[in-house]
Amino acid sequence: MARLVLKFGGTSVGDIERIKNVARKVKQEVDAGHQVAVVVSAMSGVTNQLVDYCRSISKLHDAREYDAVVASGEQVTSGLLAIALQDLGIPARSWQGWQIPIITDDTHAKARIQRIDTTEVAKRMDETGEVAVVAGFQGVSERARIATLGRGGSDTSAVALAAALNAERCDIYTDVDGVYTTDPRIVSKARKIPRITYEEMLEMASQGAKVLQTRSVEMAMKHRVRVQVLSTFEQAPGSDYPGTLVVDEDEIVEQELVSGIAYSRDEAKVTLVGVEDRPGVAARIFGPLTDAAINVDMIVQNVSEDGKTTDMTFTVGKADLDRTVQVLEKAKGELNFRRLISDANVSKVSVIGVGMRSHAGVAQRMFKALADRGINIQVISTSEIKVSVLVAEEYTELALRALHTAYGLDAA
Ligand code: ADP
Ligand code: ASP
Ligand code: MG
């Protein structure tokens, strides 16, 4: 008997039939003798709709009220799944974040989980085998307000709960049957990866692979939670682990040079033309952005031709572009740049693999594959296990396909 946390995403609970299907899957695990906690997302489309409601009343709405609104989608599915389970004769109870409680900080709309008190849920699992059906994506702040964990946050709810319950595994059921070498909805030759390291999964997620929320992978890595990504819709074939297991490096026998390719359309590029080339300028530019809680990702500074001025290019989240321009224009007098150019039509494409640590030439292969397709690279950044490039948005799919082939990742 094991303790398991199962998480079902929006498509998996997209209508009543699908919720009943989820109940049957949960029943299978209960019948196999496991103690089960389930985390559910809102029905697909519901969270987007709720976000739109808030925006259409006011662009600059109060984040606490946004959270009160958008957390409601998960309340509905948790109740419905508990009813569906009871209907199959399985004892089940729904839990909202505040009822467990899942305590968060008060960074509303992207709150972080601080602790989870699983005493009552665990007691019921032990004593009566009751299935806890937990509303994902939400918790409660120290000030007793509902707080949400950022888009895709139910993954993090699930992994955090698995860590707190000391579960043997956290199964993330979704609409694809695992983590692929790249988004299978874009590259048809993408291959399923049977096992991936925490580190690589963390890079894949943070570079845009939406299959797991970045924080869920951080959390899994920190607490060494074994995570499996698998399909809600396909009957598991014979294997014990039909999906993708996210695990420690030493559990992986054969390591590819490049494991995956991710993309993000959420970036925007800003160039400050003619900034002074002297010590302290970068600090002066990025200081006001940090103060405004704007994250800067890639940065390049051009070589100064005249020794006096240079150009500085960097990327920020698309959603932060207007604010970035505002903040910099306001500081123009002090920063002393000639012109600000912004471009929202860019994408970041990243190749990821722990094999890069010990092999040279990974970046070169990327640059050549893109050059052969006539794709211009606007900005480059690297880390130990990743190379990212910024390209014009219209080339995203072409770049993904070209790189997928260049690194030998295409399915036969
Ligand atoms: P859920 O609603 O179940 O949380 P998401 O839409 O958040 O599902 O995540 C699953 C989606 O992630 C897939 O439908 C797929 O399009 C996308 N995705 C992006 N990159 C990858 C990848 N490398 N492997 C698998 N899926 C990916
Ligand atoms: N329903 C939330 C969202 O759409 C959380 C999640 O599904 O993970 O972002
Ligand atoms: Mg998701």
Side-chain angles (χ1 to χ4, degrees):
M1 186 195 78
R3 202 176 254 188
L4 298 176
V5 173
L6 317 179
K7 179 256 172 179
F8 293 89
T11 323
S12 309
V13 293
D15 59 33
I16 294 302
E17 262 327 298
R18 288 183 173 183
I19 291 174
K20 288 183 179 169
N21 171 55
V22 165
R24 287 190 293 271
K25 289 208 168 260
V26 174
K27 182 174 188 301
Q28 276 174 14
E29 299 290 11
V30 173
D31 289 348
H34 301 313
Q35 286 189 353
V36 179
V38 187
V39 172
V40 285
S41 288
M43 293 160 95
S44 59
V46 166
T47 309
N48 285 346
Q49 170 85 79
L50 295 168
V51 170
D52 283 350
Y53 286 155
C54 295
R55 286 199 183 133
S56 54
I57 291 187
S58 165
K59 274 215 155 49
L60 291 174
H61 45 256
D62 183 318
R64 282 157 295 196
E65 300 312 334
Y66 164 95
D67 276 351
V69 175
V70 300
S72 64
E74 273 72 9
Q75 174 161 345
V76 173
T77 35
S78 59
L80 289 175
L81 182 58
I83 294 174
L85 283 166
Q86 290 169 3
D87 206 46
L88 297 179
I90 306 283
R93 186 60 63 208
S94 70
W95 297 81
Q96 307 311 298
W98 62 269
Q99 288 173 306
I100 290 188
I102 297 174
I103 306 287
T104 71
D105 64 14
D106 52 14
T107 329
H108 284 276
K110 47 181 174 202
R112 279 181 179 271
I113 295 177
Q114 293 189 323
R115 59 179 192 281
I116 302 182
D117 180 354
T118 53
T119 318
E120 183 61 23
V121 165
K123 180 167 160 254
R124 293 187 188 203
M125 277 177 151
D126 286 337
E127 288 176 2
T128 61
E130 185 178 280
V131 173
V133 186
V134 179
F137 183 47
Q138 52 160 285
V140 62
S141 75
E142 297 277 14
R143 298 178 195 193
R145 308 286 336 169
I146 293 171
T148 64
L149 310 178
R151 298 305 306 269
S154 297
D155 298 329
T156 302
S157 310
V159 174
L161 191 63
L165 283 169
N166 214 354
E168 181 161 310
R169 208 174 59 245
C170 181
D171 280 342
I172 307 278
Y173 283 89
T174 182
D175 55 3
V176 282
D177 62 351
V179 177
Y180 277 68
T181 45
T182 192
D183 190 341
R185 300 200 189 281
I186 295 203
V187 178
S188 57
K189 289 180 180 160
R191 267 193 288 129
K192 190 165 99 186
I193 307 172
R195 283 169 183 242
I196 187 166
T197 63
Y198 289 117
E199 262 183 298
E200 287 168 313
M201 193 62 238
L202 188 59
E203 283 284 11
M204 290 277 278
S206 62
Q207 299 309 319
K210 296 211 164 92
V211 60
L212 287 177
Q213 197 199 34
T214 307
R215 277 188 192 162
S216 72
V217 189
E218 272 169 11
M219 180 97 60
M221 192 164 161
K222 185 166 161 207
H223 298 284
R224 288 299 186 258
V225 176
R226 289 167 72 80
V227 172
Q228 179 180 211
V229 175
L230 70 172
S231 166
T232 311
F233 303 106
E234 282 164 36
Q235 197 57 39
S239 151
D240 278 353
Y241 302 116
T244 296
L245 272 182
V246 189
V247 289
D248 263 325
E249 206 167 332
D250 56 13
E251 287 197 53
I252 296 182
V253 190
E254 244 179 281
Q255 195 60 64
E256 308 264 2
L257 181 58
V258 162
S259 306
I261 306 174
Y263 71 97
S264 164
R265 297 182 200 269
D266 295 337
E267 307 264 321
K269 186 178 71 166
V270 177
T271 302
L272 292 179
V273 181
V275 291
E276 284 175 285
D277 191 16
R278 59 182 177 81
V281 167
R284 285 227 308 271
I285 293 174
F286 296 117
L289 296 179
T290 308
D291 294 344
I294 295 170
N295 270 334
V296 174
D297 180 16
M298 309 166 99
I299 304 176
V300 275
Q301 183 180 336
N302 285 0
V303 177
S304 167
E305 265 184 53
D306 55 6
K308 290 192 193 112
T309 62
T310 183
D311 300 343
M312 183 83 86
T313 297
F314 55 91
T315 63
V316 294
K318 236 172 222 165
D320 288 334
L321 181 59
D322 290 348
R323 260 183 341 119
T324 303
V325 172
Q326 240 175 33
V327 167
L328 292 174
E329 290 289 3
K330 213 169 129 199
K332 188 169 181 178
E334 196 200 332
L335 298 176
N336 222 354
F337 56 87
R338 251 199 330 276
R339 203 151 54 95
L340 186 156
I341 307 170
S342 67
D343 181 1
N345 293 317
V346 290
S347 280
K348 184 173 59 170
V349 177
S350 309
V351 300
I352 292 133
V354 289
M356 273 180 219
R357 284 199 197 114
S358 46
H359 288 83
V362 174
Q364 174 52 22
R365 202 186 299 186
M366 180 177 204
F367 304 153
K368 176 152 191 331
L370 297 173
D372 287 349
R373 300 296 195 294
I375 301 173
N376 187 38
I377 298 173
Q378 304 182 7
V379 185
I380 301 168
S381 72
T382 62
S383 77
E384 206 189 8
I385 64 162
K386 159 211 99 184
V387 186
S388 302
V389 294
L390 199 71
V391 299
E393 188 169 6
E394 70 246 43
Y395 291 126
T396 315
E397 300 188 6
L398 180 62
L400 279 181
R401 281 198 299 270
L403 294 172
H404 203 262
T405 306
Y407 290 104
L409 296 175
D410 287 354

